[in-house]
Amino acid sequence: MERRRMDAALLVLLLGHLAAALEVPLDLPQPPTITHQSPKDYIIDPRENIIIHCEAKGKPHPSFSWTRNGTHFNIDEDTNVSMKPHSGTLVVDISGAKAEQYECVYQCTARNKHGTAVSNNIVVRQSRSPLWSKERINPIVVQEGVSLVLPCRPPAGLPPPIIFWMDNNFQRLPQSNRVSQSLNGDLYFSNVLREDSRNDYICYARFPYTQTIQQKQPISLKVLSLDAINDTMAAFYNDTDLFSDDPADERKPTFLVPSGPSSSKTVLRGQVLEMECIAEGLPTPDISWSKVSGELPAKRTYFLHYQRTLRIVNVSESDAGDYRCTARNKLGTVHHNIHVMVKAAPYWISAQPRNLVLAPGENGVLTCRASGTPKPSITWAMNGIPIENSPKDLSRKVEDDTIIFTDVQTGSSAVYQCNVSNPYGYLLSNAFINVLSEPPRVLTPANKVYQVIKNHPALMDCASFGSPIPKITWFKDSRSSTLDGDPYILHDNGTIEIHTAQAHNAGKYTCVARNSLGKEENHILLEVKEPTRILKQPEYKVVQRGRSAVFQCKVKHDPSLVPTMTWLKDDGELPDDERFYVDSDSLTITEVSEIDAGVYTCIMNTTLDHDSASAELTVVEQPDPPTDLELTDQKKRSVQLTWTPGDEHNSPIMKFLIQYEDSLHHRGHWHNLTEVAGTRTTAHLKLSPYAHYTFRVLGLNAVGLSRPSFPSRVYKTEPAAPDENPTGVQGLGTEHDNLVISWKPLTGLQSNGPGLHYRVMWRQKAVNSDWNTASVANTSKFVVSGTPTFVPYELKVQAVNDHGAAPDPAIAHGYSGEDLPVAAPNNVQVMVLNSSLAEVHWDPVPSKFIRGHLKGYKVYYWKERSLHKHNPHHVEKEILTFSGNHSHGKLPGLHPYSLYSFNVRIYNGKGEGPPSPTQEFETPEGVPGAPTSLLVTNTDLDSLTLEWNPPHVRNGRITGYTLKYQPGNTQTSHPIARPPPHHPHNNAMPASPFRNVNSSVGDDGALISWEYWGPEKSVYVEYKLQNSEGEEEWQKELVNGSQNVMLKGLKGGLSYRVRLVAKGHHDQPLHQSQELLVKVPAVASRQVDIATQGWFIGLMCAIALLILILLIICFIQRNKGGKYPVKEKEDAHTDPEFQPMKDDDCTFGEYR
């Protein structure tokens, strides 16, 4: 017992050698290893040479020998058999022999001085495809409704053939839940029908190895009803098999396969389990499956042959148990239980035994761990000899499935065979133990470059060999410390792993392999690359048919990697079509059609990674036109229309538009009748009588309207009396003694019947009189003559046809014809409001004198003359119209100081009435215009003479002139206005309220000044470029309450048109000043400081000297007291407001 514990402990310690098995380099001594062999069950084609494979490696290279049926096979004695050079593979030339001679069990042996390896037992059998035995098959006659089995019974072949049923035309016979093929190839009918009758039921067998198909003789089947059987019994009695003497009635199910209430089945682990249940019955039974002792394995279960076959793939022990198939129809149910037993040929629990490389004095373990049902037996052999017959070795101990090696020595190398077997198969495995003393060697190529994507695992190999097994250590760059902790993971085979590689992990790595006999190192480079990423993914597209679709796929990748862009459609290649254009970062599809719809995927590949993104393309277009129009539920005034929608083309139909054509009244013209939701396929249509309707339907989706459907059949409605009367009935006169009654006529569809005419009725309103009636047809108006002038009438127009009249119409109102008014307004008065505005008042004319619809009043006025004797005489008349029932109105825009005449007239729809008596009024004086000229003469050093002419527009008697002046300077100067003198209260305002509009341009802008004496509150300065093209708008600045404004932002070197505008109420005209032209001087592009220029200093000195001389002369003249014209006027002037100019403050004086 203690010994067993020690052995178990030793086994645990030695498991490391099992996990660390090494691949021995071929330049080192080693026993043979079989690398390739033919399968255990080797089926050959008898028409070709037989090749039995056996390849092995070893140092020295092994030699080969074979056994056949357990005895040595001397190849040299058989001239048809040869062995390939440096190989154990046999080649059998069957050209001079039959393949049957070589159907045997073969085993290959590979040996060298270090051991012997053996292959599996290879059973060689030739494939067979025998012919069907010839037989005479009698026609089969059965009664309709009975069950039937057509046998196939193919010849036994190797491997078994594939069975299928076809007809003479090599077309597969249709199968269903009523007719199906069983697993053995027979054709089962749960019940036969008359259409099953045919004479070419043929069973075919296909043999896969020889690729041949064998055919059974055709079977003739005739299915008759019971009456037909009685009639044809004699004809078939001698040479026909006759089934089912009794009538075939409906019956509950019974099983044809398998028989009895239960059965059993055995299947091997890993193979496919197939169970079938075929039942007969009438009606045809339905088959279902269940597992009595558990659930069916969903991912491994399949139902075939219309549920008649249950298939479970990759069977495991858990699939053992009881299964139940159930057949049912409306008459009953039947069950069958199948007990399934799962056996298992031997299989490896863990990996099969692996080679051991041990140094002298080391320990090791070979393990042959397998299982099976029933439990398999395990036997060991050494170099092909049972281990119990092999030489004794104290370092070796066999314990069931394990061999333990302790303190091995040179010369203990050998190949061990493990054979695991039970009744269902065997496993044979070769594993050698090789005792070597070898210093380490690194097998990974030197300076190997590993490239990895950032944030992905990095695995760097350091494959090595040595005996004892080398220990691997890793260093990075400076070798300051070994890499044995986070983030590094060191695997047993020497590979180092970085779970998530980052940019700082890149660099030079060194792996060192050490054992007791020495060490060897290798350098490895790691490069960490940026990942490939799709920055802009393709997006879902809905594209109308015939247009283009563009999918974007913008990618970022490591610049050192070469990218390759690939596009797929539905996980396959793009169509070979010039409409598909692939650019560096996009896919364009032109003129898309329905076949282009699908999922498009862009894949960016590099040598290290890839990224992909997908998007769907949906192709839409107008729906197809509806079809199958049908008229149902036909009534006098309605019908129901049904239709079948057309293809939506991926865009849901939102609504259907129903149109009609009335071939009786308007042939060839389609009209919209109604609309219904896109989910409906019927519509209840309201119709009019006396029409020949044809309907059509159009579908509407987001793309547009479909083409119209084919028209429905014609639906004729019966005539009836009109349902409605004409609309738009009105009455008015074209002459003073008539009344014209008009209306909107009914359409042909509204007439409801033949013989449409109109009953026109009228009578005076407010007079208790009877209705006058007239009937007219084919017109839309009627004239009543001899009416009094402009009296109200009540009107009615009724539609009538051959089948009756419409309902009583509503009463409309109208008037007979108008005539000119016969009276003028009375009590006409005028009030003069100012010099340019007067207001006229009158009393309204009584309605009895208007003789029509009152339109308004007109005031005729004209200027007789100016009150100033020098003004000319004016007689041009002006008219002001006041619409509606007004009793006063204003006359604007009058000339001041003038005599006007006027009268007032009323007017109606016919024209104007007589004028009122003509009256006169005078307008008061207004502000005069500017003098027409101003001249300066007799200029002396201290005096000058001013001469001017009177203004053209005096607007009254001129009583005097106001003179304003100011000293001159080098800049442009203008007079500065002062308020005008006080005028009497009854003086009129001038026509334009703006006076003395001036401008001055400085560095800050243009200063605009003016005088304004108007009543309006909204005053604007407007300006725009002088030569502006088109309809450029005036720029505005509001200046209410001010009489000057600085215009800033004007561009140098340009001229501007400036004007002032006063705006009153909306019904008052605008007042504008005369336009002023303002020139803005250009600004030099380069400015020079003139204060430092010599010429400027000299000029200033000269000006200063000149001013000094002028002051001296002025002083002398004033002391002399000389006379000059202006001074004479100063002396004669007695105006107490006169103030002489003072020399000290240079203020302005005024002259009156």
Side-chain angles (χ1 to χ4, degrees):
M1 185 68 178
E2 189 64 25
R3 176 68 175 172
R4 287 183 175 275
R5 288 186 184 143
M6 290 179 63
D7 291 343
L10 180 61
L11 177 60
V12 172
L13 291 173
L14 297 178
L15 285 177
H17 281 285
L18 180 62
L22 300 177
E23 190 73 20
V24 182
L26 277 177
D27 62 337
L28 295 179
Q30 56 186 293
T33 300
I34 293 180
T35 57
H36 178 56
Q37 57 182 317
S38 294
K40 295 177 183 179
D41 193 5
Y42 188 24
I43 300 177
I44 61 171
D45 189 338
R47 299 167 296 182
E48 299 177 354
N49 290 340
I50 303 171
I51 299 176
I52 309 174
H53 295 279
C54 182
E55 304 289 343
K57 66 177 182 176
K59 184 67 174 181
H61 189 73
S63 61
F64 298 90
S65 62
W66 285 86
T67 64
R68 185 167 66 174
N69 293 334
T71 61
H72 176 67
F73 179 30
N74 191 345
I75 298 171
D76 296 334
E77 293 180 356
D78 193 332
T79 58
N80 296 321
V81 180
S82 62
M83 186 182 297
K84 290 184 178 182
H86 311 290
S87 169
T89 298
L90 295 181
V91 178
V92 181
D93 183 3
I94 63 170
S95 61
K98 292 184 178 181
E100 290 87 342
Q101 298 176 5
Y102 296 95
E103 289 186 301
C104 302
V105 179
Y106 295 85
Q107 188 172 38
C108 173
T109 300
R111 60 171 54 87
N112 65 13
K113 66 179 181 179
H114 300 293
T116 301
V118 297
S119 71
N120 293 320
N121 287 327
I122 302 171
V123 180
V124 176
R125 296 183 295 169
Q126 68 170 341
S127 62
R128 290 178 170 83
S129 53
L131 297 176
W132 240 296
S133 59
K134 291 187 177 181
E135 58 179 333
R136 182 175 180 273
I137 302 178
N138 294 326
I140 300 175
V141 177
V142 294
Q143 177 190 344
E144 185 177 13
V146 302
S147 62
L148 178 65
V149 180
L150 298 183
C152 180
R153 302 190 188 100
L158 186 67
I162 299 171
I163 306 300
F164 49 93
W165 289 79
M166 294 199 298
D167 59 16
N168 279 330
N169 297 321
F170 296 99
Q171 299 297 316
R172 287 187 178 269
L173 294 175
Q175 298 189 22
S176 62
N177 64 338
R178 184 180 63 84
V179 182
S180 63
Q181 178 182 313
S182 67
L183 295 177
N184 68 357
D186 294 343
L187 192 63
Y188 281 79
F189 295 78
S190 295
N191 51 79
V192 292
L193 303 176
R194 295 287 298 275
E195 55 262 30
D196 294 329
S197 297
R198 60 190 308 153
N199 56 8
D200 58 349
Y201 284 93
I202 305 173
C203 181
Y204 288 86
R206 182 169 65 86
F207 297 91
Y209 266 71
T210 59
Q211 295 299 315
T212 58
I213 297 178
Q214 303 293 342
Q215 172 184 335
K216 185 183 177 73
Q217 290 294 322
I219 301 175
S220 176
L221 172 64
K222 189 167 187 179
V223 180
L224 301 175
S225 64
L226 185 58
D227 294 337
I229 287 180
N230 295 330
D231 294 338
T232 59
M233 182 75 73
F236 286 92
Y237 184 80
N238 294 327
D239 57 354
T240 302
D241 295 332
L242 186 60
F243 299 88
S244 302
D245 295 334
D246 297 328
D249 297 327
E250 290 188 345
R251 58 194 181 278
K252 70 176 185 177
T254 58
F255 282 111
L256 300 175
V257 175
S259 60
S262 62
S263 59
S264 61
K265 192 173 186 66
T266 299
V267 64
L268 291 182
R269 178 184 181 271
Q271 294 186 353
V272 177
L273 169 62
E274 286 187 328
M275 298 175 283
E276 68 177 349
C277 283
I278 301 176
E280 66 91 17
L282 192 65
T284 303
D286 293 322
I287 306 295
S288 60
W289 292 87
S290 63
K291 186 177 181 182
V292 177
S293 55
E295 297 292 331
L296 293 172
K299 295 183 179 181
R300 296 184 291 114
T301 300
Y302 302 91
F303 298 99
L304 309 176
H305 304 141
Y306 304 94
Q307 297 278 68
R308 297 187 177 195
T309 301
L310 171 64
R311 174 183 291 174
I312 300 176
V313 300
N314 193 21
V315 171
S316 65
E317 288 82 355
S318 63
D319 295 323
D322 292 326
Y323 293 80
R324 172 176 293 174
C325 67
T326 302
R328 60 168 53 87
N329 64 12
K330 65 180 183 180
L331 299 179
T333 301
V334 63
H335 304 284
H336 183 89
N337 291 338
I338 303 175
H339 179 69
V340 175
M341 295 172 288
V342 178
K343 304 295 183 180
Y347 59 91
W348 300 114
I349 296 177
S350 57
Q352 62 188 66
R354 293 184 292 180
N355 298 332
L356 282 179
V357 178
L358 301 176
E362 285 191 321
N363 306 323
V365 174
L366 282 179
T367 302
C368 182
R369 192 150 298 159
S371 183
T373 305
K375 183 178 179 181
S377 61
I378 299 175
T379 59
W380 287 94
M382 185 182 77
N383 296 329
I385 301 173
I387 199 164
E388 57 270 15
N389 299 332
S390 301
K392 300 294 183 182
D393 187 348
L394 296 177
S395 65
R396 179 186 69 216
K397 181 179 181 182
V398 179
E399 289 194 354
D400 194 16
D401 59 358
T402 304
I403 301 180
I404 300 173
F405 299 93
T406 56
D407 192 20
V408 297
Q409 299 300 319
T410 303
S412 298
S413 298
V415 181
Y416 290 85
Q417 287 81 35
C418 170
N419 191 314
V420 184
S421 62
N422 71 3
Y424 300 102
Y426 74 94
L427 295 173
L428 176 64
S429 177
N430 292 277
F432 67 66
I433 176 172
N434 196 12
V435 181
L436 289 175
S437 294
E438 283 293 325
R441 63 170 74 178
V442 178
L443 305 179
T444 300
N447 298 314
K448 184 175 181 180
V449 178
Y450 285 88
Q451 293 180 330
V452 68
I453 296 297
K454 181 180 177 181
N455 295 324
H456 283 220
L459 292 168
M460 294 176 285
D461 295 330
C462 187
S464 64
F465 180 80
S467 186
I469 296 174
K471 179 181 179 183
I472 305 298
T473 53
W474 284 85
F475 301 91
K476 184 177 186 293
D477 297 333
S478 63
R479 292 196 177 192
S480 58
S481 60
T482 59
L483 306 179
D484 56 0
D486 189 55
Y488 302 100
I489 302 171
L490 187 61
H491 295 276
D492 292 339
N493 63 355
T495 298
I496 191 170
E497 178 182 358
I498 304 173
H499 185 68
T500 305
Q502 300 297 326
H504 65 269
N505 297 130
K508 181 179 180 181
Y509 288 80
T510 302
C511 76
V512 179
R514 288 187 180 89
N515 68 8
S516 59
L517 301 180
K519 72 173 183 176
E520 184 173 330
E521 66 180 37
N522 192 21
H523 300 295
I524 290 171
L525 297 177
L526 176 64
E527 296 177 356
V528 180
K529 306 293 185 180
E530 288 296 321
T532 301
R533 290 290 178 265
I534 295 179
L535 302 180
K536 181 175 178 56
Q537 298 185 357
E539 298 177 347
Y540 173 70
K541 299 282 184 183
V542 178
V543 179
Q544 188 173 341
R545 184 178 182 271
R547 297 186 178 178
S548 296
V550 179
F551 289 105
Q552 298 287 337
C553 189
K554 296 186 181 297
V555 182
K556 177 183 178 183
H557 62 88
D558 193 284
S560 65
L561 300 178
V562 179
T564 303
M565 175 71 78
T566 304
W567 285 89
L568 302 178
K569 179 182 183 292
D570 296 331
D571 296 329
E573 294 184 356
L574 289 179
D576 185 12
D577 192 331
E578 62 182 7
R579 297 183 300 108
F580 288 76
Y581 174 73
V582 177
D583 202 353
S584 59
D585 56 2
S586 65
L587 167 65
T588 302
I589 310 170
T590 60
E591 297 179 2
V592 298
S593 60
E594 288 184 344
I595 62 173
D596 299 326
V599 176
Y600 289 83
T601 304
C602 72
I603 303 176
M604 176 60 76
N605 287 297
T606 66
T607 53
L608 295 182
D609 69 339
H610 73 279
D611 196 11
S612 64
S614 300
E616 185 176 0
L617 171 63
T618 300
V619 180
V620 299
E621 61 176 313
Q622 296 96 332
D624 287 343
T627 58
D628 303 330
L629 270 64
E630 185 178 354
L631 299 176
T632 59
D633 193 19
Q634 300 173 6
K635 298 179 180 178
K636 290 184 178 181
R637 295 288 187 102
S638 67
V639 70
Q640 181 163 290
L641 176 65
T642 62
W643 63 90
T644 300
D647 192 342
E648 295 181 341
H649 294 296
N650 300 316
S651 180
I653 295 177
M654 298 181 291
K655 62 182 179 181
F656 290 101
L657 173 64
I658 302 172
Q659 298 179 333
Y660 73 90
E661 176 199 26
D662 180 8
S663 58
L664 180 62
H665 301 103
H666 212 186
R667 179 181 294 274
H669 293 268
W670 290 90
H671 309 274
N672 294 339
L673 179 59
T674 186
E675 295 177 352
V676 297
T679 56
R680 295 178 55 185
T681 58
T682 63
H684 190 75
L685 308 178
K686 294 182 179 180
L687 308 179
S688 296
Y690 192 54
H692 294 177
Y693 283 100
T694 304
F695 303 99
R696 69 183 186 184
V697 184
L698 297 86
L700 176 69
N701 63 9
V703 181
L705 274 172
S706 71
R707 289 177 286 107
S709 67
F710 286 113
S712 69
R713 61 181 175 86
V714 176
Y715 183 65
K716 299 180 180 180
T717 55
E718 297 178 358
D723 295 323
E724 53 188 313
N725 289 301
T727 58
V729 177
Q730 59 182 2
L732 51 87
T734 57
E735 300 294 338
H736 67 88
D737 59 350
N738 75 0
L739 169 67
V740 178
I741 305 171
S742 61
W743 59 90
K744 181 180 179 181
L746 298 183
T747 65
L749 193 64
Q750 293 172 321
S751 66
N752 285 8
L756 176 67
H757 58 280
Y758 301 100
R759 185 178 297 151
V760 184
M761 294 166 278
W762 70 96
R763 68 180 180 186
Q764 284 194 34
K765 189 177 180 181
V767 177
N768 191 12
S769 61
D770 295 331
W771 288 95
N772 300 292
T773 304
S775 292
V776 295
N778 301 319
T779 186
S780 61
K781 68 179 181 179
F782 178 76
V783 179
V784 180
S785 302
T787 63
T789 301
F790 196 66
V791 294
Y793 276 85
E794 294 181 336
L795 315 170
K796 293 195 296 184
V797 179
Q798 187 178 31
V800 183
N801 66 15
D802 293 348
H803 293 265
D808 190 37
I811 296 176
H813 298 86
Y815 281 85
S816 58
E818 298 179 85
D819 206 348
L820 295 176
V822 295
N826 293 323
N827 195 21
V828 178
Q829 300 178 5
V830 62
M831 293 177 58
V832 179
L833 301 179
N834 54 44
S835 62
S836 62
L837 181 66
E839 186 173 54
V840 179
H841 292 260
W842 61 86
D843 290 341
V845 175
S847 58
K848 64 181 180 179
F849 300 119
I850 298 175
R851 300 206 297 176
H853 295 286
L854 173 64
K855 297 297 184 181
Y857 292 86
K858 294 183 180 181
V859 178
Y860 286 71
Y861 65 101
W862 59 96
K863 181 179 176 181
E864 295 283 357
R865 61 183 175 84
S866 174
L867 296 178
H868 190 277
K869 63 181 179 180
H870 300 293
N871 281 9
H873 182 67
H874 293 281
V875 295
E876 181 180 355
K877 291 185 178 181
E878 296 185 60
I879 304 173
L880 271 181
T881 300
F882 301 94
S883 299
N885 192 16
H886 284 267
S887 61
H888 66 278
K890 292 182 179 180
L891 308 180
L894 305 177
H895 293 281
Y897 202 58
S898 300
L899 176 65
Y900 279 89
S901 297
F902 75 98
N903 57 51
V904 183
R905 312 178 189 193
I906 189 173
Y907 72 100
N908 60 17
K910 191 71 174 180
E912 297 177 2
S916 66
T918 300
Q919 301 185 41
E920 294 182 341
F921 67 91
E922 296 181 356
T923 56
E925 290 185 298
V927 176
T932 56
S933 66
L934 175 63
L935 298 175
V936 179
T937 61
N938 302 328
T939 304
D940 292 329
L941 290 177
D942 61 348
S943 66
L944 53 86
T945 300
L946 301 178
E947 296 180 1
W948 61 85
N949 290 321
H952 285 305
V953 180
R954 300 191 179 192
N955 289 340
R957 294 184 177 87
I958 301 297
T959 59
Y961 295 88
T962 300
L963 174 65
K964 298 181 182 180
Y965 65 93
Q966 66 181 13
N969 51 39
T970 58
Q971 300 292 330
T972 303
S973 63
H974 305 276
I976 295 179
R978 60 166 286 180
H982 181 73
H983 295 280
H985 180 70
N986 61 349
N987 284 357
M989 295 290 289
S992 175
F994 296 98
R995 289 289 183 270
N996 297 327
V997 181
N998 300 295
S999 68
S1000 176
V1001 179
D1003 293 336
D1004 294 334
L1007 178 65
I1008 310 299
S1009 60
W1010 63 90
E1011 293 179 7
Y1012 176 67
W1013 297 104
E1016 290 84 356
K1017 299 297 184 181
S1018 298
V1019 181
Y1020 297 86
V1021 171
E1022 295 184 345
Y1023 61 97
K1024 68 177 179 178
L1025 285 172
Q1026 179 185 13
N1027 297 322
S1028 58
E1029 296 181 358
E1031 297 295 327
E1032 181 182 350
E1033 293 184 358
W1034 291 82
Q1035 304 294 319
K1036 293 183 179 181
E1037 285 194 25
L1038 184 64
V1039 293
N1040 290 349
S1042 174
Q1043 293 196 1
N1044 61 77
V1045 67
M1046 180 68 74
L1047 299 181
K1048 297 182 179 181
L1050 304 182
K1051 296 182 180 180
L1054 300 177
S1055 297
Y1056 288 82
R1057 297 160 58 192
V1058 181
R1059 69 184 183 187
L1060 289 126
V1061 178
K1063 182 179 180 181
H1065 297 293
H1066 66 277
D1067 60 346
Q1068 295 178 346
L1070 292 175
H1071 294 291
Q1072 297 180 357
S1073 72
Q1074 292 184 349
E1075 290 186 10
L1076 192 68
L1077 185 64
V1078 177
K1079 296 183 179 180
V1080 182
V1083 179
S1085 60
R1086 300 182 60 187
Q1087 296 183 355
V1088 180
D1089 187 3
I1090 61 174
T1092 62
Q1093 305 297 309
W1095 63 268
F1096 179 77
I1097 297 173
L1099 178 63
M1100 292 296 102
C1101 292
I1103 293 174
L1105 180 61
L1106 181 60
I1107 293 174
L1108 179 62
I1109 294 172
L1110 290 175
L1111 289 175
I1112 294 172
I1113 294 173
C1114 181
F1115 180 76
I1116 294 173
Q1117 290 292 333
R1118 292 179 68 84
N1119 288 337
K1120 288 171 64 177
K1123 297 232 177 191
Y1124 48 93
V1126 175
K1127 189 173 187 303
E1128 290 176 359
K1129 295 189 76 171
E1130 291 177 356
D1131 296 338
H1133 208 291
T1134 59
D1135 193 337
E1137 294 181 5
F1138 167 72
Q1139 296 177 351
M1141 182 176 68
K1142 300 178 181 178
D1143 292 336
D1144 54 352
D1145 59 6
C1146 295
T1147 56
F1148 296 100
E1150 295 187 356
Y1151 293 86
R1152 298 272 175 118

